Amino acid sequence: MKYFEKIPGERLFLSPRNPDDAETYTKWLNDPAVTVSLGGYAQIHSLDAARKHLEDDATRCNAHWYSIVLREGERLVGNINLGRINQISRNAELGVFIGEQADRGCGYGAEAVRLMLGYGFNTLNLHNIQLQVLADNAQAIACYEKVGFREYGRRREAEFREGGYVDMVHMDILASEFTP
């Protein structure tokens, strides 16, 4: 078995990441369609770096990293994490992406985010989870709003991309606002 159902959902589940997926992650993280919306477009991602990252992530600075896996066929479709976890202030930062264009817009991101929010609020006892998203990523913003995130600020012209600047939108959700 390649994946382990740590956080179960309806159509998918979240599994600890598998170093055997390094080639898939390398492909995704070098795909402009994925990285341009994540703000990592100008970075180079090697297979060795991906493998090392996947092997070391269990010990990475207060973070919980998971593969997003479809139940049907146990197919890897993306990645989600809670990082920068502060147990004293009970907050964290969410990151998520869906790797293949054909899997975007299918509701997988929203389901994975709901699962991770439930885990963060109910298991890790977090109070506030925030994220950052580029202002021109309307699909992601709609997904985050759908699960209950609200915009609380904006860093103007924060990301340089393809000859111009894009605002960074800051969003968050409180445990009391979360509906599974």
Side-chain angles (χ1 to χ4, degrees):
M1 180 181 282
K2 188 172 182 178
Y3 301 108
F4 301 91
E5 189 172 323
K6 174 76 174 178
I7 304 171
E10 185 178 319
R11 296 183 302 155
L12 53 86
F13 62 90
L14 306 184
S15 170
R17 296 192 312 174
N18 188 325
D20 293 342
D21 290 327
E23 194 168 318
T24 301
Y25 277 101
T26 302
K27 175 186 167 215
W28 289 343
L29 293 174
N30 283 294
D31 179 356
V34 174
T35 56
V36 76
S37 64
L38 297 175
Y41 178 67
Q43 297 174 346
I44 299 169
H45 298 274
S46 72
L47 181 58
D48 286 339
R51 191 172 287 116
K52 182 173 176 12
H53 180 73
L54 289 169
E55 290 170 350
D56 294 346
D57 72 1
T59 58
R60 293 175 54 93
C61 54
N62 290 336
H64 289 248
W65 295 83
Y66 293 97
S67 292
I68 302 170
V69 181
L70 288 184
R71 288 192 176 285
E72 186 176 320
E74 285 202 359
R75 185 169 62 86
L76 176 68
V77 295
N79 180 79
I80 191 163
N81 71 78
L82 283 175
R84 299 185 179 161
I85 297 172
N86 182 322
Q87 292 294 343
I88 295 170
S89 296
R90 297 176 48 214
N91 62 46
E93 186 171 326
L94 179 84
V96 61
F97 72 86
I98 302 298
E100 299 293 337
Q101 180 64 40
D103 293 323
R104 294 184 207 124
C106 299
Y108 302 144
E111 184 174 349
V113 169
R114 277 191 190 94
L115 292 174
M116 188 59 96
L117 291 176
Y119 180 72
F121 292 135
N122 300 321
T123 302
L124 301 179
N125 195 31
L126 296 175
H127 174 69
N128 175 292
I129 296 176
Q130 70 104 26
L131 60 82
Q132 299 175 31
V133 59
L134 293 171
D136 63 353
N137 192 344
Q139 188 174 17
I141 291 171
C143 169
Y144 300 139
E145 290 174 340
K146 179 179 175 180
V147 299
F149 279 88
R150 297 180 190 172
E151 181 176 337
Y152 70 85
R154 183 177 287 252
R155 186 171 182 190
R156 297 174 302 137
E157 298 183 1
E159 186 77 25
F160 182 78
R161 189 177 63 221
E162 299 176 350
Y165 290 92
V166 180
D167 290 357
M168 183 67 71
V169 177
H170 298 269
M171 303 177 83
D172 73 352
I173 184 171
L174 301 176
S176 60
E177 298 167 338
F178 174 63
T179 306

